[in-house]
Amino acid sequence: MPTVHAIPAFSDNYIWALIPDNENRVVIVDPGDAAPVQSFLAARGLDLGAILITHHHPDHTGGIGALTAEYDVPVYGPARERQAIAGLTARLADGDQIDIDWLGCRFDVIDVPGHTIGHIALVGGGMLFSGDTLFHGGCGKLFEGSAGQMRASLERLRALPDDTSIYCGHEYTLKNLQFAAAVEPENADIAARIEQVQALRDRQQPSLPSIIGLEKRVNPFMRWDVPDIRRAARERHGSDLDGPDAVFAVLRQWKDDF
Ligand code: ZN
Ligand code: FE
């Protein structure tokens, strides 16, 4: 299995670097900016071998041009985005696989519409690269898709094995967990995780990766069917809610206003 390194970018993005054993090539996920990737490669004497993209937003794609000008590498990304992504060499959608022979693991592509319409997630080797769909403690804003689409996308990610490691696009964890605690004041797992993450962030460490099993306990957007969450959403809304998508929509709007 490759080892995974976080390359911080902008104020709160993570660009992920996958380094296989006995290789000097790296796979880079969501290079929103080329400069931190170039510094990372130079500092370690590594070459760029491939780029993976989860969705079209500039803070995930902005570095493609400069990196591919320097390195002639394949760029795998979503087929179904509304906005074209310049520089893609392979367009992927649900059911496709990414098979980079030197990497040591394969990725399955899952369509996860919601944040954007064509957003994909990559699953392989016990890892999930979730872009701006699933965050630690939260989920992406609904820029293009509906609450129902996002909930269905998260339902697919929730079905992954509990020990799947989650590498997402942003360090939003503390704010997400503060919202989670407001929704579920009695949830001791959330309170405990806030303390752990605060300690990590005090030392400038990423709060990631998370794992699916933890998200199922602390992330309100993975818990639309838990009675406490349904009750909190109904109270927020002021009247009964008609099904899981309605609960999810209230949670998402509540977070936007938080
Ligand atoms: Zn985004
Ligand atoms: Fe982003």
Side-chain angles (χ1 to χ4, degrees), residues 11 19 30 52 69 80 89 100 113 115 137 141 152 158 222 225 239 248-249 255:
S11 58
I19 311 180
D30 281 356
L52 313 183
R80 294 177 181 152
T89 62
I100 299 169
H115 180 69
K141 286 191 177 165
R158 196 172 73 164
M222 299 282 261
D225 45 5
S239 59
F248 192 93
K255 175 67 165 63

mmCIF file of all heavy atoms in Angstrom, residues 11 19 30 52 69 80 89 100 113 115 137 141 152 158 222 225 239 248-249 255:
data_model
loop_
_atom_site.group_PDB
_atom_site.id
_atom_site.type_symbol
_atom_site.label_atom_id
_atom_site.label_comp_id
_atom_site.label_asym_id
_atom_site.label_seq_id
_atom_site.Cartn_x
_atom_site.Cartn_y
_atom_site.Cartn_z
ATOM 1 N N SER A 11 -5.680 28.251 2.679
ATOM 2 C CA SER A 11 -5.827 28.392 4.137
ATOM 3 C C SER A 11 -6.231 27.078 4.803
ATOM 4 O O SER A 11 -5.847 26.816 5.945
ATOM 5 C CB SER A 11 -6.829 29.490 4.475
ATOM 6 O OG SER A 11 -8.070 29.196 3.877
ATOM 7 N N ILE A 19 2.512 7.812 -1.934
ATOM 8 C CA ILE A 19 3.854 7.365 -2.293
ATOM 9 C C ILE A 19 3.942 5.854 -2.097
ATOM 10 O O ILE A 19 3.856 5.364 -0.966
ATOM 11 C CB ILE A 19 4.924 8.061 -1.425
ATOM 12 C CG1 ILE A 19 4.676 9.571 -1.412
ATOM 13 C CG2 ILE A 19 6.313 7.732 -1.942
ATOM 14 C CD1 ILE A 19 5.685 10.343 -0.581
ATOM 15 N N ASP A 30 -6.091 16.148 -6.111
ATOM 16 C CA ASP A 30 -6.664 17.487 -5.999
ATOM 17 C C ASP A 30 -5.633 18.604 -5.783
ATOM 18 O O ASP A 30 -5.692 19.348 -4.774
ATOM 19 C CB ASP A 30 -7.722 17.532 -4.880
ATOM 20 C CG ASP A 30 -9.061 16.946 -5.320
ATOM 21 O OD1 ASP A 30 -9.199 16.577 -6.501
ATOM 22 O OD2 ASP A 30 -9.980 16.881 -4.470
ATOM 23 N N LEU A 52 -5.003 12.801 -9.681
ATOM 24 C CA LEU A 52 -6.412 12.421 -9.543
ATOM 25 C C LEU A 52 -7.202 13.646 -9.088
ATOM 26 O O LEU A 52 -6.741 14.386 -8.219
ATOM 27 C CB LEU A 52 -6.592 11.303 -8.510
ATOM 28 C CG LEU A 52 -5.673 10.082 -8.569
ATOM 29 C CD1 LEU A 52 -6.080 9.065 -7.492
ATOM 30 C CD2 LEU A 52 -5.705 9.439 -9.939
ATOM 31 N N ALA A 69 2.607 20.954 -17.246
ATOM 32 C CA ALA A 69 3.606 21.607 -18.095
ATOM 33 C C ALA A 69 5.003 21.072 -17.766
ATOM 34 O O ALA A 69 5.886 20.981 -18.621
ATOM 35 C CB ALA A 69 3.553 23.124 -17.905
ATOM 36 N N ARG A 80 -18.568 13.834 -15.489
ATOM 37 C CA ARG A 80 -19.924 14.411 -15.578
ATOM 38 C C ARG A 80 -20.050 15.791 -14.973
ATOM 39 O O ARG A 80 -21.158 16.228 -14.647
ATOM 40 C CB ARG A 80 -20.921 13.456 -14.915
ATOM 41 C CG ARG A 80 -21.034 12.154 -15.692
ATOM 42 C CD ARG A 80 -21.954 11.146 -15.045
ATOM 43 N NE ARG A 80 -21.985 9.920 -15.839
ATOM 44 C CZ ARG A 80 -22.220 8.704 -15.350
ATOM 45 N NH1 ARG A 80 -22.455 8.542 -14.068
ATOM 46 N NH2 ARG A 80 -22.222 7.653 -16.140
ATOM 47 N N THR A 89 -6.941 13.758 -18.828
ATOM 48 C CA THR A 89 -6.627 12.783 -19.884
ATOM 49 C C THR A 89 -7.534 11.563 -19.787
ATOM 50 O O THR A 89 -7.596 10.771 -20.714
ATOM 51 C CB THR A 89 -5.156 12.336 -19.807
ATOM 52 O OG1 THR A 89 -4.942 11.680 -18.548
ATOM 53 C CG2 THR A 89 -4.205 13.522 -19.918
ATOM 54 N N ILE A 100 -3.346 2.205 -11.730
ATOM 55 C CA ILE A 100 -1.995 2.724 -11.963
ATOM 56 C C ILE A 100 -1.051 1.617 -11.505
ATOM 57 O O ILE A 100 -0.942 1.348 -10.305
ATOM 58 C CB ILE A 100 -1.781 4.034 -11.163
ATOM 59 C CG1 ILE A 100 -2.783 5.095 -11.637
ATOM 60 C CG2 ILE A 100 -0.347 4.526 -11.293
ATOM 61 C CD1 ILE A 100 -2.845 6.328 -10.748
ATOM 62 N N PRO A 113 -22.811 12.902 -6.397
ATOM 63 C CA PRO A 113 -23.338 14.235 -6.680
ATOM 64 C C PRO A 113 -23.860 14.914 -5.410
ATOM 65 O O PRO A 113 -24.311 14.242 -4.482
ATOM 66 C CB PRO A 113 -24.488 13.958 -7.660
ATOM 67 C CG PRO A 113 -24.907 12.546 -7.378
ATOM 68 C CD PRO A 113 -23.636 11.828 -6.986
ATOM 69 N N HIS A 115 -22.294 18.296 -3.765
ATOM 70 C CA HIS A 115 -21.454 19.510 -3.737
ATOM 71 C C HIS A 115 -21.341 20.053 -5.164
ATOM 72 O O HIS A 115 -21.571 21.237 -5.407
ATOM 73 C CB HIS A 115 -20.095 19.136 -3.154
ATOM 74 C CG HIS A 115 -19.117 20.259 -3.052
ATOM 75 N ND1 HIS A 115 -19.270 21.303 -2.176
ATOM 76 C CD2 HIS A 115 -17.956 20.494 -3.715
ATOM 77 C CE1 HIS A 115 -18.243 22.141 -2.310
ATOM 78 N NE2 HIS A 115 -17.433 21.677 -3.240
ATOM 79 N N GLY A 137 -16.618 15.038 10.203
ATOM 80 C CA GLY A 137 -17.631 15.737 10.986
ATOM 81 C C GLY A 137 -18.658 16.500 10.166
ATOM 82 O O GLY A 137 -19.562 17.091 10.754
ATOM 83 N N LYS A 141 -20.962 21.833 0.974
ATOM 84 C CA LYS A 141 -22.155 22.643 0.691
ATOM 85 C C LYS A 141 -22.803 22.175 -0.607
ATOM 86 O O LYS A 141 -22.123 21.671 -1.508
ATOM 87 C CB LYS A 141 -21.778 24.121 0.556
ATOM 88 C CG LYS A 141 -21.475 24.761 1.877
ATOM 89 C CD LYS A 141 -21.372 26.281 1.744
ATOM 90 C CE LYS A 141 -21.147 26.877 3.126
ATOM 91 N NZ LYS A 141 -20.696 28.255 3.058
ATOM 92 N N ALA A 152 -27.946 10.610 -0.600
ATOM 93 C CA ALA A 152 -27.737 9.319 -1.270
ATOM 94 C C ALA A 152 -26.243 9.057 -1.490
ATOM 95 O O ALA A 152 -25.771 7.919 -1.365
ATOM 96 C CB ALA A 152 -28.499 9.296 -2.598
ATOM 97 N N ARG A 158 -21.214 5.702 3.489
ATOM 98 C CA ARG A 158 -21.465 5.130 4.811
ATOM 99 C C ARG A 158 -21.433 3.608 4.785
ATOM 100 O O ARG A 158 -21.200 2.958 5.795
ATOM 101 C CB ARG A 158 -22.826 5.634 5.323
ATOM 102 C CG ARG A 158 -23.046 5.453 6.790
ATOM 103 C CD ARG A 158 -24.325 6.139 7.243
ATOM 104 N NE ARG A 158 -25.531 5.446 6.817
ATOM 105 C CZ ARG A 158 -26.736 5.668 7.336
ATOM 106 N NH1 ARG A 158 -26.891 6.596 8.281
ATOM 107 N NH2 ARG A 158 -27.796 5.023 6.911
ATOM 108 N N MET A 222 -24.040 11.907 8.481
ATOM 109 C CA MET A 222 -24.034 10.449 8.302
ATOM 110 C C MET A 222 -25.052 9.803 9.238
ATOM 111 O O MET A 222 -25.110 8.594 9.376
ATOM 112 C CB MET A 222 -22.636 9.886 8.613
ATOM 113 C CG MET A 222 -21.538 10.424 7.721
ATOM 114 S SD MET A 222 -21.526 9.655 6.093
ATOM 115 C CE MET A 222 -20.194 8.455 6.366
ATOM 116 N N ASP A 225 -30.752 9.185 10.054
ATOM 117 C CA ASP A 225 -31.767 8.219 10.481
ATOM 118 C C ASP A 225 -31.662 7.856 11.970
ATOM 119 O O ASP A 225 -32.349 6.963 12.443
ATOM 120 C CB ASP A 225 -31.708 6.954 9.618
ATOM 121 C CG ASP A 225 -30.283 6.448 9.398
ATOM 122 O OD1 ASP A 225 -29.334 7.024 9.997
ATOM 123 O OD2 ASP A 225 -30.108 5.491 8.629
ATOM 124 N N SER A 239 -41.827 21.658 12.679
ATOM 125 C CA SER A 239 -42.938 20.732 12.433
ATOM 126 C C SER A 239 -42.372 19.422 11.889
ATOM 127 O O SER A 239 -41.168 19.330 11.636
ATOM 128 C CB SER A 239 -43.945 21.329 11.442
ATOM 129 O OG SER A 239 -43.306 21.618 10.216
ATOM 130 N N PHE A 248 -32.297 15.605 6.217
ATOM 131 C CA PHE A 248 -30.964 15.987 5.738
ATOM 132 C C PHE A 248 -30.955 17.449 5.286
ATOM 133 O O PHE A 248 -30.019 18.204 5.579
ATOM 134 C CB PHE A 248 -30.536 15.063 4.591
ATOM 135 C CG PHE A 248 -29.089 15.185 4.228
ATOM 136 C CD1 PHE A 248 -28.139 14.342 4.797
ATOM 137 C CD2 PHE A 248 -28.659 16.167 3.340
ATOM 138 C CE1 PHE A 248 -26.798 14.466 4.475
ATOM 139 C CE2 PHE A 248 -27.319 16.301 3.021
ATOM 140 C CZ PHE A 248 -26.388 15.455 3.587
ATOM 141 N N ALA A 249 -31.996 17.857 4.568
ATOM 142 C CA ALA A 249 -32.075 19.238 4.066
ATOM 143 C C ALA A 249 -32.091 20.241 5.219
ATOM 144 O O ALA A 249 -31.438 21.291 5.153
ATOM 145 C CB ALA A 249 -33.319 19.407 3.185
ATOM 146 N N LYS A 255 -26.627 24.028 9.203
ATOM 147 C CA LYS A 255 -25.163 24.210 9.166
ATOM 148 C C LYS A 255 -24.785 25.475 8.387
ATOM 149 O O LYS A 255 -23.898 26.225 8.797
ATOM 150 C CB LYS A 255 -24.502 22.972 8.544
ATOM 151 C CG LYS A 255 -22.989 23.099 8.332
ATOM 152 C CD LYS A 255 -22.222 23.162 9.655
ATOM 153 C CE LYS A 255 -20.729 22.918 9.501
ATOM 154 N NZ LYS A 255 -20.040 23.909 8.694
#
